[in-house]
Amino acid sequence: MSYKLGMVSLGCAKNQVDAEMLLAAAGQQGYTICDSVEEADAVIVNTCGFIESAKKESIDEILQLARLKETGRLKAIVVTGCLAERYREQIRKELPEVDAVLGIGANKDIGKALQQVLNGNKLEWFGSKYDLPLSGKRILFTPKHYAYLKVSEGCSHKCTYCAIPLIRGKLRSRTIEDIVQEANKLAENGVKELIIIAQDTTHYGEDLYDKLMLPALLRELCKIDGIVWIRLLYCYPNRITDELLDVIAQEDKVLNYIDLPLQHSVERILKEMKRGGSAESLTALIEKMRAQIPDIVIRTTFIAGFPGETEEEFNQMAEFSRNIRFDRMGCFAYSKEENTSAARMPNQVDEDVKQHRAKIMMEEQMNIMQELGEKRIGTVMQILTEGYDDDLDLYYGRSYADSPDIDGRVTFTVSGSPPNNGDFVDVLITDCISCDLTGKMVEGS
């Protein structure tokens, strides 16, 4: 009998790649993959356990599936991912509706696990987290024209607020040959944009090659026919080298876009976070990046309300952000995570204060993004077409300045032949509405 398998993947793009590999492995074992959980015999919930809100989302999803288990055809709920790895036996104890809890090291055994739970058994499988497969076949969740490419797993940093090293283990990089082989297959299947991800993308390769190898990897990826855009996410400021900036500046395929999570700008707080740096050093880095790559788009994230953050220190961070004028920015209230150093620190900031500070940062950023967007009016931008919005009666897509899901989109009118999803077109920007650009496609582009 061929069982139908559904998937709910939560959290970051790195987790999504694991989910894509889980589905492909199950498919090879004879399971039929279905889009709807209502039609599935078993559902894998690939959870996020990074911060409190993500944990709540994972638990809510499991409870929704539990109701489906009572009323529908669903026979088994299998929980994988970060929440499963982090909380292990607690999940089945507190959520008896769950049939299997698999740590990340058990991902390679997904076929065996599904067979057991569909035969009525309950499971808890936890191998070494270092057994998590780093490469393999994937069933992409993304549209055909772009894909995430995970170059390493784990993290060797000791940021005091972060549980990822506890959950995922230390840095382990894939070989350049392995990554390039996967990228070639993606290109052969129609992928035009590669989005490079890891816990710290800039740390790539140091464990294997005794040096930072992201620049060398990018040069190899640029040789692949069919790949048009290569986008960098999760880059650590301390590892933005001259060599990396040279590659971004020189290689046409590497987009002038970088995701550079700073988390704070005040030296004392950064020291408490075990990240290092200061407003002065970060300003110097960003000025250098902008001088070398004039049209670079810099995305960052900040944490508001880290333990001990005073009102003055928050105001200094907000002023830093205002002065730098980031193209893209997200600010999140500090989340107190179990078993992290920061959770044990004194002077935890009140939840309402944290949320208020994050809101202030985001409101100011929206004004900055609107102003920066208005400066693009009258320019022509290359847009990767992604669909048609029936409500707006407009096509939409992304520019080099827009990463999927986290950034905005560009809407545009078409007077000639309509573009297909995945087509690159030139769009004359005519307006900026609520931080999103809009325009009209240039005929013949």
Side-chain angles (χ1 to χ4, degrees):
M1 178 182 176
S2 176
Y3 287 108
K4 289 188 174 182
L5 178 65
M7 167 69 79
V8 176
S9 187
L10 304 169
C12 67
K14 300 179 289 291
N15 207 39
Q16 179 177 313
V17 171
D18 290 348
E20 292 171 343
M21 289 172 62
L22 277 168
L23 271 192
Q28 287 178 299
Q29 295 287 322
Y31 293 91
T32 301
I33 312 304
C34 61
D35 294 330
S36 170
V37 293
E38 284 82 6
E39 298 173 10
D41 298 296
V43 173
I44 300 171
V45 186
N46 196 43
T47 59
C48 178
F50 180 44
I51 57 175
E52 194 61 39
S53 59
K55 287 184 279 189
K56 184 178 184 304
E57 182 185 18
S58 295
I59 291 166
D60 287 347
E61 192 65 48
I62 292 167
L63 292 174
Q64 281 187 37
L65 288 171
R67 288 191 284 273
L68 190 60
K69 198 174 168 186
E70 292 173 3
T71 60
R73 62 179 285 169
L74 184 62
K75 297 180 179 68
I77 300 171
V78 178
V79 178
T80 61
C82 288
L83 195 76
E85 179 67 31
R86 190 174 183 186
Y87 292 103
R88 302 199 165 202
E89 62 279 349
Q90 290 171 251
I91 294 176
R92 281 208 48 235
K93 184 178 177 183
E94 297 180 21
L95 295 166
E97 302 90 348
V98 170
D99 299 282
V101 183
L102 308 183
I104 61 173
N107 279 17
K108 60 184 174 54
D109 299 312
I110 188 63
K112 295 176 187 174
L114 287 167
Q115 185 178 15
Q116 290 220 24
V117 296
L118 285 166
N119 285 336
N121 298 310
K122 301 282 187 179
L123 289 182
E124 290 176 11
W125 281 7
F126 298 98
S128 166
K129 60 192 69 177
Y130 296 98
D131 288 338
L132 173 73
L134 300 187
S135 61
K137 290 187 176 180
R138 296 161 59 188
I139 293 176
L140 297 185
F141 295 172
T142 52
K144 188 179 179 181
H145 54 270
Y146 75 86
Y148 294 100
L149 186 61
K150 184 158 68 165
V151 299
S152 66
E153 181 53 75
C155 185
S156 295
H157 298 313
K158 293 181 171 62
C159 301
T160 56
Y161 54 83
C162 182
I164 290 297
L166 301 171
I167 300 169
R168 292 272 172 173
K170 293 181 180 179
L171 171 73
R172 49 225 189 261
S173 300
R174 300 169 61 186
T175 64
I176 287 180
E177 292 78 12
D178 186 37
I179 296 167
V180 170
Q181 183 180 35
E182 181 180 5
N184 269 301
K185 287 179 182 174
L186 290 169
E188 287 167 10
N189 289 327
V191 168
K192 297 178 181 179
E193 178 184 10
L194 293 175
I195 305 173
I196 311 301
I197 57 172
Q199 299 299 340
D200 172 5
T201 307
T202 42
H203 203 180
Y204 167 73
E206 191 171 53
D207 56 321
L208 282 183
Y209 303 101
D210 293 322
K211 61 180 287 192
L212 300 176
M213 291 295 284
L214 180 60
L217 172 64
L218 291 172
R219 290 198 189 277
E220 290 302 312
L221 293 174
C222 286
K223 297 175 184 176
I224 298 174
D225 290 338
I227 298 301
V228 182
W229 284 359
I230 300 173
R231 186 183 301 277
L232 292 173
L233 300 188
Y234 309 112
C235 296
Y236 202 86
N238 296 20
R239 289 187 172 82
I240 302 296
T241 62
D242 289 342
E243 186 183 7
L244 178 58
L245 293 180
D246 285 343
V247 170
I248 298 172
Q250 294 165 8
E251 293 284 358
D252 289 340
K253 292 186 179 184
V254 181
L255 295 176
N256 294 346
Y257 174 107
I258 194 162
D259 173 41
L260 190 73
L262 301 183
Q263 313 305 10
H264 217 283
S265 65
V266 175
E267 187 172 9
R268 186 192 74 80
I269 298 284
L270 287 167
K271 188 175 180 181
E272 289 288 302
M273 288 179 167
K274 286 200 174 172
R275 287 183 67 87
S278 64
E280 291 74 24
S281 67
L282 295 173
T283 299
L285 171 65
I286 291 163
E287 287 177 348
K288 179 181 182 180
M289 293 167 70
R290 286 174 169 169
Q292 193 162 343
I293 310 162
D295 63 343
I296 192 167
V297 166
I298 301 175
R299 156 171 276 284
T300 195
T301 52
F302 290 110
I303 296 172
F306 186 80
E309 181 190 70
T310 64
E311 190 73 25
E312 182 184 359
E313 287 169 327
F314 166 72
N315 288 333
Q316 288 171 3
M317 177 171 68
E319 183 180 10
F320 170 81
S321 182
R322 278 194 298 273
N323 291 339
I324 295 291
R325 292 174 65 81
F326 291 99
D327 303 89
R328 307 280 186 262
M329 187 271 278
C331 185
F332 305 92
Y334 165 74
S335 178
K336 184 179 178 181
E337 292 304 305
E338 297 166 271
N339 300 319
T340 61
S341 302
R344 298 187 289 272
M345 290 179 179
N347 303 315
Q348 297 283 329
V349 178
D350 179 78
E351 185 64 31
D352 289 342
V353 173
K354 291 188 290 187
Q355 296 292 346
H356 179 64
R357 290 177 181 177
K359 184 181 178 185
I360 289 172
M361 291 277 286
M362 289 309 301
E363 286 175 349
E364 292 183 350
Q365 177 64 20
M366 294 301 285
N367 292 331
I368 290 169
M369 286 174 58
Q370 179 65 25
E371 291 169 10
L372 293 174
E374 288 171 1
K375 288 185 177 180
R376 291 194 183 271
I377 294 172
T379 66
V380 174
M381 301 187 76
Q382 184 186 43
I383 305 300
L384 179 54
T385 307
E386 298 210 297
Y388 179 76
D389 189 318
D390 290 313
D391 293 332
L392 295 176
D393 194 23
L394 293 170
Y395 287 84
Y396 63 88
R398 292 182 291 109
S399 73
Y400 83 97
D402 307 304
S403 189
D405 299 326
I406 54 174
D407 295 326
R409 66 179 191 174
V410 179
T411 55
F412 55 94
T413 58
V414 174
S415 56
S417 299
N420 297 312
N421 290 356
D423 286 351
F424 285 95
V425 297
D426 291 333
V427 172
L428 173 65
I429 305 303
T430 57
D431 205 352
C432 181
I433 303 168
S434 300
C435 302
D436 281 343
L437 301 178
T438 188
K440 55 185 177 182
M441 189 177 106
V442 178
E443 284 194 46
S445 66

